[in-house]
C-alpha cells in the first residue's frame, strides 16, 4: 500500500499543477489589454521602440499595423496562457511523467494534450485541432523535420545492410583482436565521436552504428554507449568551428559578427569542455555512479547489455559470424561522411561560388544530410552487388527492415517536435526572454551563472538548444557591448546552458538520436545520463560564477577554464573514492 501511494503521489502532484493552471483564465479579467495574459511587449522591427507585441505566430507587429489596431501597440493571443509561466507546463508534465512512469510515448502525448488545452482555453474541438493539425501533422510535414526523418530512415537501412553483409560482425572480430579492454573500447568511441563533429544527428547515428559491435564485445552496457555518444555529439559540435551548430550560433548573433563571437567563446564554453574531461576521466578511472553503475555492473559481470528490455531487439545482427569483411562496414561509413559533408556545403551554395567556410555556415543540415545519406545508400547498394555480399532481393528487404528499426526513434522525435510546437504556440520562449531581460541585466558579477542556469532550464523544458541560442544570445548582445569581456563569457554561458539542458532533456532530439544510435531504451539512457550531466552542470555553474567574479575584478576570464578543470578532476576523485571500480 505504501509503495502504491508513493508511486501515485508524483502523478497527483502533476494533476494538482494542471488544476491550478485551469484557474488562471478566471484571474485574467480586466479592460486594460496590457493586463491580459495574451499581450506581449517586443521591440518593433520598424521603429526600434518597445510597446509593440508579437502575434500568435511569433512575428513582431510593425508600426502601421499597431496604429490601426483597436489597442494601439498590442495584439492579443487567442490563449489566456500565452506569455506566462503556464506556457512551460506542457514540457514539465511530459518530462515528469516520463521519469516517473518510465514510458516515453504516452508521457509526451499527455504533454502535447496539455499544450493543446492551454492554447484553446480548454475548448474541446479547438484542442483536438491544435494537437493534431498544428502539432503532430505540422511537425511531420515540416520540410526540415521531414529531411531529418528521411536521413534517419536511410541510416537505419544502411545499418541493416551492413549487418546483413557481415560488415558489423567482421568489424567486431577485428575489434576483438585489436581492442582488448573496456577502457580501450570506450576511448575509441570517444575518439570517433570527437572526429565526427560536423553535425550532432550524424554523429549520434554514425558513432552508434560503428561502435556497437566493439562495445558489445567488451560487455559495455548500451546505456554507457548512449552516454558516450550523447556527450560527444552536442558538446563537441558546439566547440567545433566547422559544424552545423557553429552556423546556427553565427546566424543568431547580430551585426554579422556571429562566427567571430563563436570562436572567441570556445574557451569559455565550460559545460562542453568539462563534459569531455569528465567522460574521459571516468573511463580512465573505471568508475561509475548512480543508475549507470548498475547497468555497467550487469554488463561487465553478467553480459547483460540492457538491464531490461531492448526496444531494438528486431534489429539484432543475424548475419553469419564468418561472413563479410571490415571494409564492408568502413567503406560505406567513409562514403557516408564524405557525401554528407558535400551535401552540407552544397546546401550552403558552395557549388554556386561560395567559399567553403561560408557555405558551411549557410548550410541546411536537413537537406545536406538527407542528400548525402541518399547518395551513400546508392553507393552501398552498388558496392554490395559488386562484392556479391547478398542478393538484390535481400538488399531491398533491408530498406523496410531499417525503417522498422528506427520506428521508436521516429515516434519519439515526432512527439518531441509536436511538444515543442505546443510551447511555441504558447509563447514560452518569449516569456523566458523577457524574464532574463528584466531580472538579470543588473546582476553583472553573477550574470554568467544566471544566464547559464536559465539556458539549462529553457533547453531542458523545450528540448531545443538552437531555440535557446535564438532567445538568449540577442539579449546578451543588447545588455553588453561586444568589446566588454563579460559579453563573451555570457554568450558562452548561453551556449553552454543550452547544450546542458539539451543533454539532460528526455525530449531533446539529440538525446533521442543518441538512444537510437546506441539502440538503447530511451528512458534508461535519460535516467543513467542525468546524474552525470547534473554533476558536470554544477561544476560548470561554479566555474561561471568564478569567471564572472574574475572579469568583474579585471582579471583574465581565461583563468576560469583551468580552475574548472581542476574542480572537475577533484570531483571525479571524490566520486571514485565512494564508488567501486568496474573493470
Amino acid at each position: 500500500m505504501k509503495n502504491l501511494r508513493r508511486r501515485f503521489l508524483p502523478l497527483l502532484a502533476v494533476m494538482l499543477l494542471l488544476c491550478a493552471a485551469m484557474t488562471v483564465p478566471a484571474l485574467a479579467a480586466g479592460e486594460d489589454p496590457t493586463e491580459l495574459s495574451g499581450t506581449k511587449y517586443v521591440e518593433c522591427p520598424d521603429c526600434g521602440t518597445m510597446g509593440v507585441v508579437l502575434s500568435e505566430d511569433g512575428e513582431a507587429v510593425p508600426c502601421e499595423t499597431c496604429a490601426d489596431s483597436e489597442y494601439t501597440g498590442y495584439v492579443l493571443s487567442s490563449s489566456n496562457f500565452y506569455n506566462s509561466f503556464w506556457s512551460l507546463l506542457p514540457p514539465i508534465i511530459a518530462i515528469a511523467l516520463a521519469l516517473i512512469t518510465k514510458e516515453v510515448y504516452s508521457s509526451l502525448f499527455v504533454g502535447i494534450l496539455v499544450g493543446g488545452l492551454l492554447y484553446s482555453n480548454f475548448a474541446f474541438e479547438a484542442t483536438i485541432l491544435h494537437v493534431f493539425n498544428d502539432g503532430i501533422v505540422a511537425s511531420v510535414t515540416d520540410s526540415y523535420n521531414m529531411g531529418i526523418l528521411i536521413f534517419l530512415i536511410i541510416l537505419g537501412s544502411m545499418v541493416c545492410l551492413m549487418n546483413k553483409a557481415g560488415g558489423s560482425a567482421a568489424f567486431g572480430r577485428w575489434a576483438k583482436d585489436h581492442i582488448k579492454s573496456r577502457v580501450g573500447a570506450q576511448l575509441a568511441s570517444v575518439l570517433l565521436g570527437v572526429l565526427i563533429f560536423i553535425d550532432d544527428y550524424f554523429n549520434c547515428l554514425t558513432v552508434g552504428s560503428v561502435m556497437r559491435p566493439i562495445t558489445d564485445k567488451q560487455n559495455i552496457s548500451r546505456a554507457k554507449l548512449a552516454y558516450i555518444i550523447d556527450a560527444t555529439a552536442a558538446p563537441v559540435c558546439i566547440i567545433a568551428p566547422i559544424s552545423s551548430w557553429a552556423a546556427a550560433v553565427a546566424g543568431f548573433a547580430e551585426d554579422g559578427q556571429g562566427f567571430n563571437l563563436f570562436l572567441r567563446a570556445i574557451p569559455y564554453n565550460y559545460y562542453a569542455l568539462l563534459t569531455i574531461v569528465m567522460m574521459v576521466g571516468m573511463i580512465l578511472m573505471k568508475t561509475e555512479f548512480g543508475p549507470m553503475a548498475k547497468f555497467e555492473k550487469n554488463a561487465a559481470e553478467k553480459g547483460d547489455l540492457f538491464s531490461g528490455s531492448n526496444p531494438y531487439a528486431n534489429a539484432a545482427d543475424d548475419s553469419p559470424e564468418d561472413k563479410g569483411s571490415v571494409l564492408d562496414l568502413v567503406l560505406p561509413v567513409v562514403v557516408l561522411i564524405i557525401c554528407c559533408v558535400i551535401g552540407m556545403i552544397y546546401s550552403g551554395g558552395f557549388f554556386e561560388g561560395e567559399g567553403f567556410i561560408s557555405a558551411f555556415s549557410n548550410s541546411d543540415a536537413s537537406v545536406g544530410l538527407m542528400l548525402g545519406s541518399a547518395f551513400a545508400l546508392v553507393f552501398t547498394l552498388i558496392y554490395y552487388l559488386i562484392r556479391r555480399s547478398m542478393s538484390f532481393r535481400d538488399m531491398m528487404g533491408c530498406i523496410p527492415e531499417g525503417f522498422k528499426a528506427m520506428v521508436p526513434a521516429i515516434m519519439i522525435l515526432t512527439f518531441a517536435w509536436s511538444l515543442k510546437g505546443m510551447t511555441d504556440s504558447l509563447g514560452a520562449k518569449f516569456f523566458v526572454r523577457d524574464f532574463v531581460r528584466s531580472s538579470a541585466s543588473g546582476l553583472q558579477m553573477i550574470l554568467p551563472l544566471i544566464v547559464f542556469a536559465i539556458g539549462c532550464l529553457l533547453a531542458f523544458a523545450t528540448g531545443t538548444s538552437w531555440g535557446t541560442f535564438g532567445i538568449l544570445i540577442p539579449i546578451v548582445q543588447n545588455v553588453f557591448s561586444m568589446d566588454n569581456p563579460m559579453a563573451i563569457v555570457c554568450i558562452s554561458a548561453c551556449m553552454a546552458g543550452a547544450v546542458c539542458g539539451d543533454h539532460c532533456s528526455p525530449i531533446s532530439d539529440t538525446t533521442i538520436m543518441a538512444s537510437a544510435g546506441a539502440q538503447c531504451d530511451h528512458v534508461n539512457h535519460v535516467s543513467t545520463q542525468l546524474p552525470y550531466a547534473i554533476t558536470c552542470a554544477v561544476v560548470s555553474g561554479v566555474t561561471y560564477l568564478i569567471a564572472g567574479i574574475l572579469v568583474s575584478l579585471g582579471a583574465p576570464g581565461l583563468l576560469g577554464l583551468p580552475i574548472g578543470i581542476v574542480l572537475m578532476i577533484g570531483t571525479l576523485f571524490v566520486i571514485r573514492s565512494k564508488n567501486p571500480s568496474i573493470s
Side-chain angles (χ1 to χ4, degrees), residues 438-503:
S438 62
S439 63
S441 59
L443 305 172
Q444 299 283 321
M445 187 176 292
I446 62 173
L447 188 56
L449 174 59
I450 292 175
V451 171
F452 174 72
I454 291 174
C456 289
L457 294 174
L458 181 58
F460 182 81
T462 60
T464 170
S465 293
W466 290 16
T468 306
F469 299 154
I471 296 167
L472 295 182
I473 289 178
I475 294 174
V476 173
Q477 289 191 291
N478 288 336
V479 172
F480 297 105
S481 62
M482 287 301 101
D483 56 358
N484 187 330
M486 188 68 80
I488 299 300
V489 179
C490 289
I491 284 179
S492 294
C494 294
M495 294 188 283
V499 171
C500 177
D502 181 271
H503 204 188

Side-chain angles (χ1 to χ4, degrees), residues 272-566:
L273 295 168
L274 294 180
T275 292
I276 297 172
V277 172
M278 179 178 179
M279 176 175 50
V280 174
M282 293 191 69
I283 291 172
L284 295 176
M285 292 179 180
K286 301 180 182 179
T287 187
E288 311 289 346
F289 67 99
M292 185 74 80
K294 171 194 160 187
F295 278 74
E296 279 292 87
K297 185 176 180 181
N298 287 343
E301 297 179 359
K302 304 175 184 177
D304 182 1
L305 304 179
F306 300 94
S307 293
S309 63
N310 174 17
Y312 295 89
N314 293 332
D317 181 14
D318 57 358
S319 62
E321 280 293 313
D322 58 348
K323 183 181 178 183
S325 69
V326 173
L327 198 63
D328 290 336
L329 175 73
V330 173
L331 187 59
V333 170
V334 170
V335 171
L336 176 67
I337 294 172
I338 294 172
C339 289
C340 285
V341 171
I342 294 173
M344 294 278 282
I345 61 175
Y346 166 79
S347 67
F350 178 76
F351 298 102
E352 297 173 1
E354 292 285 344
F356 182 84
I357 300 297
S358 176
F360 213 97
S361 298
N362 297 326
S363 64
D364 185 326
S366 173
V367 173
L369 295 177
M370 176 180 65
L371 295 178
S373 60
F375 278 97
L377 176 63
V378 172
F379 169 85
T380 302
L381 292 170
I382 295 173
Y383 172 71
Y384 287 154
L385 274 177
I386 294 173
R387 285 262 300 154
R388 300 181 184 275
S389 299
M390 66 185 90
S391 67
F392 182 75
R393 180 184 294 274
D394 287 340
M395 286 193 291
M396 290 299 100
C398 285
I399 294 177
E401 286 299 317
F403 193 158
K404 291 177 188 176
M406 288 300 174
V407 165
I410 291 171
M411 286 183 64
I412 298 173
L413 264 182
T414 300
F415 281 170
W417 285 330
S418 303
L419 184 61
K420 180 183 178 296
M422 295 296 107
T423 57
D424 286 346
S425 68
L426 292 169
K429 58 184 179 181
F430 305 115
F431 166 74
V432 174
R433 184 192 67 176
D434 282 0
F435 174 78
V436 177
R437 179 173 282 160
S438 62
S439 63
S441 59
L443 305 172
Q444 299 283 321
M445 187 176 292
I446 62 173
L447 188 56
L449 174 59
I450 292 175
V451 171
F452 174 72
I454 291 174
C456 289
L457 294 174
L458 181 58
F460 182 81
T462 60
T464 170
S465 293
W466 290 16
T468 306
F469 299 154
I471 296 167
L472 295 182
I473 289 178
I475 294 174
V476 173
Q477 289 191 291
N478 288 336
V479 172
F480 297 105
S481 62
M482 287 301 101
D483 56 358
N484 187 330
M486 188 68 80
I488 299 300
V489 179
C490 289
I491 284 179
S492 294
C494 294
M495 294 188 283
V499 171
C500 177
D502 181 271
H503 204 188
C504 296
S505 178
I507 60 175
S508 159
D509 44 9
T510 308
T511 308
I512 296 165
M513 290 287 193
S515 302
Q519 293 193 353
C520 166
D521 180 81
H522 182 61
V523 175
N524 287 345
H525 169 44
V526 173
S527 61
T528 53
Q529 175 172 265
L530 203 54
Y532 289 25
I534 291 174
T535 300
C536 189
V538 171
V539 176
S540 301
V542 173
T543 309
Y544 275 115
L545 178 61
I546 294 171
I549 294 172
L550 289 172
V551 172
S552 297
L553 296 176
L558 288 173
L559 292 175
L561 180 58
I563 293 173
I565 292 174
V566 171

Side-chain angles (χ1 to χ4, degrees), residues 26-108:
L27 304 176
E31 296 182 359
D32 186 350
T34 65
E35 295 177 357
L36 294 173
S37 300
T39 61
K40 183 68 189 174
Y41 283 106
V42 293
E43 187 172 333
C44 179
D46 290 349
C47 69
T49 60
M50 300 297 290
V52 187
V53 296
L54 292 179
S55 61
E56 290 183 53
D57 58 3
E59 298 295 327
V61 179
C63 296
E64 57 270 19
T65 305
C66 289
D68 295 337
S69 65
E70 181 181 356
Y71 301 112
T72 302
Y74 296 95
V75 171
L76 297 180
S77 168
S78 61
S79 172
N80 291 328
F81 302 91
Y82 188 83
N83 179 29
S84 69
F85 168 78
W86 303 105
S87 60
L88 296 175
L89 189 63
I92 290 172
I93 288 177
I95 292 169
L97 287 176
L99 294 176
I100 292 167
T101 65
K102 309 295 184 186
E103 208 294 306
V104 68
Y105 304 114
S106 61
S107 301
L108 286 172

